[in-house]
Amino acid sequence: MQTTAAHGSWPSPVTAALAAADDGRPDGLGTVGDEVWWTAPRPTEGGRRTLVRRRADGTEETVLPPPWNVRSRVVEYGGRPWAAVERPGTGPLLVFCHFPDQRLYAHEPDAGPGAEPRPLTPVSPVGGGLRWADPVLLPERGEVWCVLEEFTGPAPTDVRRVLAAVPLDGSAAEDRTAVRELSDGRHRFVTGPRISPDGRRAVWIGWDHPLMPWDGTEAVLADITPEGTFARARTVAGGPEESVPQADWDAAGRLLFSSDRTGWWNLYRAELADDGTPGPARPLCPREEEFAGPLWQTGLTWFRALETGPVAVLHGRGDAVLGILDPETGVLADASGPWTVWTPTLAVHGTRVLGVAAGPGRRHEVVELDTRTGRTRVVGSPHTDRVDPAHYPEPVVRIFTGPGGREIHAHVHPPRNPAFTGPEGELPPYVIRAHGGPTGHFPLALDLETAYFTSRGIGVADVDYGGSTGYGRAYRERLRGRWGVVDVEDCAAVARALAAEGTADPARLAIRGGSAGGWTSAASLVHTDVYACGTIVYPVLDLKGWATDETHDFESRYLDGLVGPLDEVPERYEERSPIEHVDRITAPFLLLQGLDDVICPPVQAERFLARVAGRGVPHAALFFPGEGHGFRAADTMIRALEAELSLYARVFGFDRPDVPALELRT
């Protein structure tokens, strides 16, 4: 028997504290001998990331206790932060990047009590210092090869990136000159090297401003000399209009790479002659599906070759699933199980494939596929239902129609609570969510932040607006030159459609997003009258500022593609920037901002609020010390989530005495 109560007022066991504790996912997966290792979030420990190992007997343990934080800041979004090798008799040797100082450290976790990590790299006082990512351990050379990001001045764009060799003996811990540079610096951005099975060659990805890695990249191949230097570096795939997000090797020494040369990221293989010259690249499974994704971090892996010949691949439309590809026949067999979302962090060991996967009713967990038997099992970070799953949302995959008849992909999460239903004739409020990126998409995976709202009677619609990934290059490029137009239109089209079909209350619609989604939320309040309120989280608000010196180097030329070069279309920057049109905002809003954010800095939020003040628009703003781009500490996430619910209670007219009242000022 269900109790009738106003939408939004339903009691729920999905608390903000529970949602915060469940935030984040395993990442950086790898194998060390027969063990499986990964990084894991610790929201209740200040938001640090630790390193977890699963021993061969199935036991799990934390490798690094507080305050160690295994996370890189290369391109600010980071990259793979660790590597380890098995050493019979002495235990593994680990190299990792520590977030606070960004130094590389070596550690021997089995060395006994008192064993502490020792630094391998120095601290630089220049700008953002020295940063490292995507390490490859080479004990036989006494080095670790990785990406070096080195700041050369105080500005965020005073930076260079090369592949470098760091000695394992600690001789570079106080001496930058002891670090050997491997690549020639021809590209502004590089990923870590992937070394051929015979050790003779290395391949990596490089690209330059103003391109983003989903616009155009190059796969660079170099010979490795006996002295451990790179020779004859040459481009073997990619270009200014072809994105190659990953390149690697199969067990026979053939080059594998993903490319969107056909409009879809597919997988290719090329034979190499004795002199290293690649032959024609052959597509291994040509489909109108994505076999890769946007390269937001170095070290992402959408495919891994097994020693026995098959290739483990992630593929699909929207979300990616795990499949095993026979490269000789093109036959692709998907792994069984309840997982519909696999993240780009694959590892292989013998006949086993390991990945991180989730589904609509399961959070992200570490999953193993035995390719001999086809059997899958959870081997780490197992999902547990902390509340009755009847409180989880049941998402519906939808395709809506936007302006000009264009398709808009979305996931709709109706209100759901086993004990409550809304009054007869009352339509629920809905929150329309815009994802970040904007080159990204919403995964169809269990998210307790979504359940926090749906279990209280508030619907949620996640919109993969034009520009999102997972649907081919043409869909991705709908946003080219039209950021702040297509994204705003597509979110509004979904909101209007839900209202028109009787799913959502047209008078109680909200817009919500973080980062690029925060931009879309603010722009939606400026350019449409669809929403009764909005939640704007660490947003871009001033395009001109963001295009000059108010963001980091990686995205400092992003707007060339999303809006157009500033010197060519300055009027677009003014017309589309929410900060230039605060007079058009009439709906209440909540702004959430981390004070340590260098990607979407607080100065933009502060200027925006200064212009809004005194205009009669009810609003609130919460600034969080110690938080950067993406909240990580449990206390922050709890406060932010409860504040968002309080905003909706105030605007939509339901009672929530269980959360602190949000004070709105005008």
Side-chain angles (χ1 to χ4, degrees), residues 570-625:
E571 69 282 356
R572 289 185 193 169
Y573 283 68
E574 182 171 349
E575 172 54 31
R576 296 186 195 171
S577 292
I579 200 168
E580 301 294 343
H581 305 287
V582 295
D583 57 304
R584 300 179 188 176
I585 299 176
T586 58
F589 67 86
L590 167 66
L591 194 153
L592 304 170
Q593 177 71 52
L595 287 176
D596 291 352
D597 195 337
V598 298
I599 296 172
C600 293
V603 65
Q604 291 217 345
E606 291 162 356
R607 288 203 305 269
F608 181 77
L609 292 169
R611 294 194 185 187
V612 170
R615 293 184 175 273
V617 178
H619 65 279
L622 300 178
F623 289 82
F624 299 102

Side-chain angles (χ1 to χ4, degrees), residues 265-438:
W265 276 308
N266 277 193
L267 186 61
Y268 295 81
R269 186 176 74 185
E271 303 270 357
L272 266 63
D274 289 342
D275 65 356
T277 302
R282 180 173 72 86
L284 298 184
C285 187
R287 293 187 181 186
E288 290 191 346
E289 291 184 10
E290 304 283 41
F291 284 70
L295 191 64
W296 280 101
Q297 299 175 311
T298 64
L300 298 181
T301 51
W302 291 271
F303 66 84
R304 288 282 196 191
L306 284 82
E307 296 176 0
T308 50
V311 182
V313 296
L314 302 184
H315 72 101
R317 288 196 177 201
D319 288 319
V321 297
L322 173 64
I324 302 300
L325 173 66
D326 182 338
E328 306 308 324
T329 65
V331 173
L332 180 58
D334 289 341
S336 61
W339 308 283
T340 57
V341 179
W342 292 72
T343 66
T345 178
L346 291 178
V348 297
H349 181 64
T351 60
R352 296 184 297 152
V353 179
L354 295 125
V356 175
R362 306 178 73 89
R363 66 179 180 85
H364 290 87
E365 47 198 347
V366 181
V367 180
E368 175 191 270
L369 165 65
D370 187 332
T371 59
R372 294 172 303 176
T373 64
R375 179 172 175 257
T376 53
R377 61 171 181 153
V378 176
V379 296
S381 190
H383 168 80
T384 56
D385 292 317
R386 303 184 187 182
V387 299
D388 183 346
H391 292 91
Y392 297 161
E394 290 187 331
V396 181
V397 177
R398 299 278 303 271
I399 298 177
F400 293 87
T401 302
R406 65 178 182 249
E407 290 185 346
I408 307 168
H409 296 270
H411 306 150
V412 178
H413 309 262
R416 185 173 185 242
N417 187 311
F420 288 88
T421 187
E424 185 177 353
E426 180 189 281
L427 294 175
Y430 259 77
V431 179
I432 309 300
R433 297 199 302 198
H435 60 71

Side-chain angles (χ1 to χ4, degrees), residues 80 133-136 145-147 163 191-197 200-205 220-222 224 230 246-249 255-256 297-301 303-304:
R80 186 177 179 85
D134 216 0
V136 178
W145 292 3
C146 53
V147 175
L163 299 182
T191 64
R194 297 293 175 261
I195 301 170
S196 61
R200 296 172 57 195
R201 297 182 178 91
V203 65
W204 65 92
I205 306 300
V220 182
L221 179 68
I224 301 175
F230 288 177
Q246 184 187 350
D248 212 325
W249 307 91
L255 183 65
L256 298 173
Q297 299 175 311
T298 64
L300 298 181
T301 51
F303 66 84
R304 288 282 196 191

Side-chain angles (χ1 to χ4, degrees), residues 104-128:
L104 279 183
Y105 287 80
H107 183 45
E108 299 174 77
D110 293 350
E116 288 289 328
R118 54 183 177 84
L120 297 180
T121 56
V123 174
S124 169
V126 180

